[in-house]
Amino acid sequence: MGKRGLKQGHSCWLHKLSAMTSLSVFRDIPLAQKLEGSLLKIYKQDEYSSKMFLAYRVCMNDEGHPWISFVVHKTRLQIAQDPSLNYEYLPQMGMKSFVQAALELLFGKHSQAIAEKRVGGVHTVGDSGAFQLGAQFLRAWRKNLKTVCIVSCQKEQYGLIFQDMGFTVYEYLIWNPKKLCSDPSIFFDVMEHIPPDSILVIGNIVDCRFTQNQWTKLTSIIKKKQIFPFFDVPCQGLSTGNLEEDTRLLQYFVSLGFEFFCSQSLSKNFGIYDEGVGILVVAALSNQNLLCVLSQLMSYVQALWGNPPATGSRIITSILCNPALFVEWKQSLKGVVENIMLIKEKVKEKLRLLGTPGSWNHITEQSGSHGYLGLNYQQVEFLTKKKHIYIPKNSRINFTCINARNIDYITQSIHEAVMLTEG
């Protein structure tokens, strides 16, 4: 074959190869349905100069920027300027000092469970990492647990993690839109119908005020049905301003000797949202049981992310292990919570002075930065389309987005929404 024939053959081969490669292996992949962020996208597209977005996930300061404790800012700078800092990979389970400090924050420094060495933890990449790690373990080692029931005051994102792992997931909101409160009766209705051998994920239910009889009933059902509890502690200290009060349910369970998992997120309460610092906490009957579980979790960590990020955990450890910095951080948390309570009081009072129909006590009866306004779909639509105030359809807003510059416009708009859509 001459050179010309070779060239033609080569050209033909290239043409066939081009035709083959033009068919993408991803050609059958559709665009995924947007899970969140559509409200924020609409807000950003709005050209109205005085538009407002009241659904940010993070705590905001009076200037409308993400809140960060001054002690965290100060500690971050000190760590960055430390010439002796070793930038080696962290251990797969995380720094021992960090995990220990986080456990003491969660259960108390003088916790009997810590003294007995039956609680431990793994440093994870945010709270989603904790749920993914916990779900992987349960799927592999507790194959009888096929159903996950999530109980919270809001829609939680980690239901998707359990679904992807092959669990059947049911989600229940304990917020009662008719009574305008977190309703313990909804929680116990779920508990009565939850299948035996299920995983019960208990989200943010700080506002559920259980009586002692209800506490007893709850633990009795869990024991009888052999339910495995998986707690979520997303922002300890930012709900009530009291670190111990925010983990009361968790402390009650560990005092009774229950075994459970807990996702402990430390990003929001330290104001380091970009670091994604979390821990999967394990409570076991004995130290021997705990060590076996932690050893298995380490193998999953190796496959998932290998080594956790260091900066956030270094900042948190420095603060929790320094008494002076710890007190300063607790005071900053208390200040944020007091500011949230003040904002809610002002919103309620302004609505009362405007003569807005209905009771607005539910605003101040909810704890934490986020809470329900108790508006219906029509009222939310009015605020979004007519007043350029963007809030979720369930009217659960971030109260730290309200400040002295916008509170009058927001409350007046809520008043108009209620008056115009009444009946």
Side-chain angles (χ1 to χ4, degrees):
M1 185 183 291
K3 288 184 179 179
R4 187 176 177 184
L6 282 171
K7 284 182 180 179
Q8 286 178 340
H10 183 66
S11 175
C12 183
W13 177 81
L14 284 175
H15 180 73
K16 288 180 179 179
L17 181 65
S18 176
M20 288 169 63
T21 54
S22 64
L23 292 174
S24 171
V25 295
F26 305 119
R27 61 186 178 275
D28 298 326
I29 310 299
L31 279 172
Q33 183 181 355
K34 193 76 172 176
L35 296 174
E36 66 165 349
S38 56
L39 184 67
L40 183 59
K41 183 179 179 181
I42 297 168
Y43 163 77
K44 287 180 176 179
Q45 291 172 346
D46 189 346
E47 296 179 355
Y48 186 66
S49 59
S50 300
K51 62 185 179 181
M52 297 175 193
F53 190 76
L54 306 185
Y56 289 111
R57 292 174 60 194
V58 305
C59 282
M60 311 296 281
N61 60 24
D62 291 337
E63 286 72 45
H65 302 298
W67 167 81
I68 177 171
S69 170
F70 177 71
V71 68
V72 171
H73 180 68
K74 181 172 62 177
T75 305
R76 185 193 287 269
L77 291 176
Q78 289 173 348
I79 290 173
Q81 294 167 4
D82 184 358
S84 66
L85 196 62
N86 183 348
Y87 288 95
E88 181 58 88
Y89 286 115
L90 292 186
Q92 288 182 344
M93 305 292 275
M95 290 190 300
K96 285 185 178 179
S97 56
F98 166 64
V99 173
Q100 183 66 23
L103 290 173
E104 290 178 359
L105 179 69
L106 199 62
F107 297 111
K109 212 161 196 174
H110 306 292
S111 164
Q112 187 177 347
I114 291 177
E116 294 170 354
K117 296 184 178 180
R118 58 186 180 88
V119 291
V122 181
H123 180 181
T124 64
V125 182
D127 50 359
S128 60
F131 278 106
Q132 187 170 12
L133 186 60
Q136 283 224 5
F137 176 90
L138 294 171
R139 184 182 64 173
W141 292 99
R142 285 293 172 264
K143 296 185 185 297
N144 59 313
L145 302 175
K146 299 183 183 298
T147 303
V148 176
C149 292
I150 301 172
V151 182
S152 185
C153 67
Q154 63 182 12
K155 171 78 173 175
E156 301 289 1
Q157 296 180 351
Y158 38 74
L160 296 170
I161 294 172
F162 287 102
Q163 283 179 359
D164 285 346
M165 294 282 180
F167 292 96
T168 301
V169 178
Y170 300 98
E171 298 183 59
Y172 303 92
L173 295 182
I174 57 168
W175 174 257
N176 189 325
K178 292 181 179 178
K179 294 181 179 179
L180 296 175
C181 69
S182 292
D183 192 347
S185 65
I186 297 176
F187 186 96
F188 283 99
D189 186 55
V190 171
M191 293 305 299
E192 291 293 343
H193 295 93
I194 188 172
D197 295 319
S198 294
I199 300 167
L200 174 65
V201 181
I202 302 177
N204 185 6
I205 61 166
V206 170
D207 290 330
C208 252
R209 308 284 196 266
F210 293 152
T211 65
Q212 188 55 51
N213 287 339
Q214 287 174 324
W215 284 111
T216 306
K217 182 180 179 183
L218 174 62
T219 53
S220 175
I221 295 171
I222 287 175
K223 285 179 180 178
K224 182 181 177 182
K225 294 189 174 184
Q226 295 185 318
I227 292 167
F228 184 81
F230 201 141
F231 295 95
D232 180 27
V233 180
C235 50
Q236 184 181 355
L238 279 177
S239 290
T240 64
N242 185 312
L243 292 167
E244 292 75 28
E245 180 64 22
D246 283 2
T247 58
R248 191 163 52 98
L249 182 62
L250 197 70
Q251 305 220 22
Y252 179 71
F253 270 76
V254 80
S255 69
L256 294 177
F258 275 91
E259 293 184 303
F260 57 80
F261 281 170
C262 173
S263 165
Q264 179 187 16
S265 175
L266 295 162
S267 296
K268 194 172 180 181
N269 51 359
F270 280 87
I272 46 176
Y273 317 100
D274 58 338
E275 297 293 345
V277 187
I279 288 187
L280 175 64
V281 177
V282 182
L285 285 178
S286 68
N287 177 251
Q288 185 180 355
N289 296 140
L290 174 67
L291 292 176
C292 290
V293 174
L294 292 178
S295 69
Q296 294 295 337
L297 290 173
M298 187 184 291
S299 65
Y300 297 126
V301 167
Q302 197 169 1
L304 287 169
W305 53 75
N307 306 85
T311 304
S313 60
R314 285 193 177 118
I315 294 169
I316 292 167
T317 307
S318 299
I319 293 169
L320 294 181
C321 294
N322 183 309
L325 295 180
F326 180 60
V327 169
E328 193 176 341
W329 172 68
K330 282 207 300 183
Q331 285 299 115
S332 69
L333 281 184
K334 189 179 178 183
V336 171
V337 173
E338 287 175 351
N339 186 53
I340 292 169
M341 291 167 64
L342 184 61
I343 291 168
K344 290 178 178 178
E345 286 287 352
K346 287 181 177 178
V347 170
K348 184 177 78 170
E349 180 61 13
K350 285 182 179 290
L351 290 173
R352 186 189 68 81
L353 292 173
L354 287 167
T356 312
S359 169
W360 298 93
N361 290 332
H362 61 277
I363 290 177
T364 51
E365 288 168 355
Q366 299 172 78
S367 58
S369 57
H370 292 66
Y372 290 93
L373 286 174
L375 302 180
N376 62 35
Y377 177 75
Q378 279 182 301
Q379 292 159 351
V380 170
E381 282 286 288
F382 174 84
L383 290 176
T384 303
K385 293 181 177 178
K386 301 295 183 182
K387 295 295 181 177
H388 304 271
I389 299 174
Y390 291 83
I391 69 174
K393 291 177 182 178
N394 62 7
S395 81
R396 192 169 191 268
I397 70 164
N398 181 347
F399 279 93
T400 64
C401 295
I402 301 176
N403 52 52
R405 296 187 303 277
N406 62 24
I407 189 169
D408 288 331
Y409 180 77
I410 290 170
T411 50
Q412 178 63 39
S413 298
I414 293 172
H415 173 75
E416 291 177 24
V418 174
M419 294 297 290
L420 289 171
T421 59
E422 202 178 23

